[in-house]
Amino acid sequence: MAARAGVSKSLVSLVMRAEPGASAETRRRVQEAADQLGYQPDSRARLLRSGRTRLLGVVFGIQHTFHADLVTELYAAARETGFELALSAVTPGRDEPEAINGLLQDRCEALLMVAPRSPVAALARLAARLPVVVLARGVRDAAVDVVRNADADGMHLAVDHLVRLGHSRIAHIDGGRAAGAADRRRGYRDAMGWNGLAASVRIVPGGLTEEDGAAAARALLDDLPTAVAVFNDRCATGVLDVLTRARVEVPAEISVIGYDDDRLARLSHLDLTTVAQDTAAMARLAVGRAIERAEGSPVGRRELVAPPRLVVRGTTGPCVSR
């Protein structure tokens, strides 16, 4: 670049660092040479020399639509902060520790972990090395920051909605050991009791995926409830598929409600009633907390909770007695 601009390397360095000491004409010639060569300044290298990377690492599950929705909002939240995101996905062939190690090698200043499966002790050890913010999962350790949805309240919204439609035989397909599953089970039980339906509590083992939902739906077919509240939208998709194949009409014969309001729920052919997590608010809170920790700023509460909301679509309707 110096040869093309006809100046010394030291002058090029001054211009590219936007420091004083070069004339307007020299700056013009250097910039023109940079444009012709397609030169882009390596801001990452400059930050590394200062001991900073201004990178926030994000660990997420590539198979989960809700995780992708959260990552999209994390990019939006980070856009004006001066920090960049570095993504590391958990896949069927790449486990969570491997995804984390990739980000540690990139010298990220903080980690954002979407619904991690790692045990609390492992998360606490990681938080001793750098700030860790967990999204969409509660973690009972003071070293780990948490940004989550009020899962129990969300399932309460689901049950209350079904009760208002006249349903009393309401089952819950749970999420097993997935993040948030215990709180959603508790919310379902509490809501059933609150509505005078404690004797009708029915929890069916489920999980995260369409296959889990399909297996749970097949278990319900012999004694079909009038409504079912499902752990997440992906699992609810499997439920709807089995009901359709069994010629059970939704919502005429059974109402189905999911959780998350991910992109699957919004597809026109599914039109799934669901409980929405506020991904935009969660992303803003998580990015803000990660940066506060990276900058050494004082913070308040360790756990930040975003309220859910009910999104009514076409898979829930009035109870018809059978």
Side-chain angles (χ1 to χ4, degrees):
M1 188 190 303
R4 183 177 287 260
V7 299
S8 67
K9 291 181 180 179
S10 59
L11 276 174
V12 169
S13 179
L14 285 175
V15 172
M16 300 315 294
R17 296 200 309 270
E19 293 183 2
S23 68
E25 174 60 17
T26 296
R27 292 182 187 279
R28 184 193 65 76
R29 287 159 58 190
V30 169
Q31 189 58 58
E32 185 177 273
D35 293 342
Q36 291 171 354
L37 294 170
Y39 172 79
Q40 294 291 330
D42 190 349
S43 58
R44 186 75 53 81
R46 186 165 61 250
L47 285 168
L48 283 172
R49 287 194 295 270
S50 71
R52 301 290 303 273
T53 64
R54 300 188 74 80
L55 280 178
L56 303 178
V58 180
V59 178
F60 69 105
I62 200 168
Q63 294 175 292
H64 301 300
T65 309
F66 176 68
H67 289 206
D69 290 347
L70 256 178
V71 169
T72 299
E73 294 296 345
L74 287 170
Y75 270 114
R79 183 172 293 126
E80 305 299 330
T81 66
F83 279 75
E84 294 287 341
L85 300 186
L87 304 186
S88 191
V90 178
T91 74
R94 188 175 192 254
D95 62 14
E96 200 163 273
E98 186 176 354
I100 292 168
N101 285 336
L103 295 173
L104 294 178
Q105 291 172 10
D106 286 340
R107 296 178 58 182
C108 292
E109 297 192 28
L111 290 187
L112 300 164
M113 303 186 65
V114 181
R117 304 298 295 271
S118 299
V120 173
L123 294 173
R125 287 194 298 271
L126 186 61
R129 300 180 61 179
L130 79 171
V132 174
V133 180
V134 167
L135 292 93
R137 171 189 165 183
V139 178
R140 294 182 179 178
D141 191 287
V144 180
D145 288 294
V146 171
V147 176
R148 66 175 180 86
N149 168 76
D151 289 292
D153 292 348
M155 194 54 71
H156 215 299
L157 289 175
V159 173
D160 289 349
H161 169 64
L162 295 169
V163 170
R164 287 194 299 271
L165 290 171
H167 296 277
S168 58
R169 296 181 59 228
I170 304 168
H172 173 49
I173 296 175
D174 78 356
R177 298 175 62 84
D183 283 342
R184 293 179 197 181
R185 276 192 298 271
R186 175 169 56 83
Y188 164 75
R189 288 183 181 278
D190 290 349
M192 291 291 281
W194 179 265
N195 285 286
L197 301 173
S200 299
V201 165
R202 183 180 179 187
I203 298 177
V204 180
L208 286 162
T209 69
E210 295 90 343
E211 291 79 8
D212 294 325
R218 286 191 286 268
L220 288 173
L221 286 176
D222 290 337
D223 183 19
L224 205 63
T226 65
V228 58
V230 188
F231 169 70
N232 70 5
D233 295 337
R234 190 176 170 194
C235 187
T237 301
V239 173
L240 291 172
D241 181 64
V242 167
L243 294 174
T244 299
R245 293 173 186 273
R247 300 185 184 280
V248 177
E249 293 188 20
V250 177
E253 295 181 75
I254 182 172
S255 285
V256 178
I257 183 167
Y259 205 114
D260 288 339
D261 193 30
D262 65 24
R263 282 172 286 173
L264 286 173
R266 300 191 289 271
L267 292 173
S268 59
H269 70 280
L270 292 183
D271 198 32
L272 179 66
T273 296
T274 187
V275 177
Q277 300 199 53
D278 191 341
T279 53
M282 292 170 67
R284 288 194 301 271
L285 291 170
V287 168
R289 176 53 55 88
I291 292 174
E292 287 172 341
R293 292 295 194 190
E295 302 285 4
S297 303
V299 299
R301 293 175 296 153
R302 181 188 64 82
E303 186 173 67
L304 304 171
V305 182
R309 61 185 176 86
L310 181 70
V311 180
V312 179
R313 296 194 181 98
T315 59
T316 53
C319 178
V320 177
S321 298
R322 290 199 290 272

